[in-house]
Amino acid sequence: MAKINTKTLGEIIKETMKERGIKGSVVARKMNVSRQTINQIDLRKKFDIEFLQSFKEASGLDFTKHAFDDVMDKMPEEQKVKYLGQQPKITVNISISANKESLENLPTFIKQVEDLGKRYGFELV
């Protein structure tokens, strides 16, 4: 009988850090937590999104999806359908400074930004 992989998220994080050569002491310092918190991450039972976001910023490793999946697993089915049916939007405002000489290039620049935005799935309004 084949053994099913039942690694915890903490074990996966620790293993990934080791594979990528990421030092726990460096991550701990950047997160402003004890080295023990990171060195014993494989023993941790639960992770909240704030911890995983801070970990991502400190280590470059993104495990935030796991916290989201955990929340979604616990959410009642009718609430999931309502939540997933929404299209969350993020608005980004861009400010451009230009001198008189570069203003003539502005239409070309805007077209390039629009094209790149569409290419990466952004809607520019």
Side-chain angles (χ1 to χ4, degrees):
M1 184 179 269
K3 184 179 178 186
I4 298 174
N5 185 0
T6 57
K7 289 183 182 176
T8 66
L9 178 55
E11 291 169 333
I12 293 168
I13 291 171
K14 189 163 191 171
E15 187 176 286
T16 304
M17 287 176 63
K18 184 176 181 179
E19 288 171 358
R20 303 230 179 134
I22 298 170
K23 295 195 178 290
S25 59
V26 173
V27 173
R29 189 173 350 100
K30 288 180 179 180
M31 289 179 67
N32 199 26
V33 298
S34 70
R35 282 186 302 153
Q36 185 177 13
T37 298
I38 302 303
N39 290 339
Q40 295 181 349
I41 202 164
D42 56 325
L43 304 176
R44 192 171 177 152
K45 301 286 185 220
K46 293 183 180 184
F47 293 89
D48 57 49
I49 192 74
E50 290 82 14
F51 179 88
L52 291 175
Q53 183 64 37
S54 179
F55 180 81
K56 173 184 169 184
E57 291 168 5
S59 69
L61 301 175
D62 188 0
F63 292 95
T64 55
K65 182 183 180 311
H66 294 276
F68 176 78
D69 289 345
D70 189 42
V71 168
M72 291 300 288
D73 289 344
K74 294 173 185 167
M75 192 180 286
E77 200 58 41
E78 60 276 0
Q79 194 175 355
K80 272 188 210 179
V81 170
K82 182 180 175 187
Y83 180 80
L84 292 174
Q86 297 175 356
Q87 289 293 324
K89 302 243 182 213
I90 298 172
T91 302
V92 177
N93 295 315
I94 300 173
S95 176
I96 300 170
S97 296
N99 57 34
K100 278 186 173 183
E101 293 80 34
S102 61
L103 277 177
E104 66 188 40
N105 297 322
L106 190 57
T108 304
F109 173 74
I110 291 172
K111 178 70 174 135
Q112 289 175 341
V113 170
E114 287 174 340
D115 291 344
L116 277 172
K118 287 177 187 171
R119 181 172 157 196
Y120 290 107
F122 294 97
E123 177 185 352
L124 298 155
V125 291

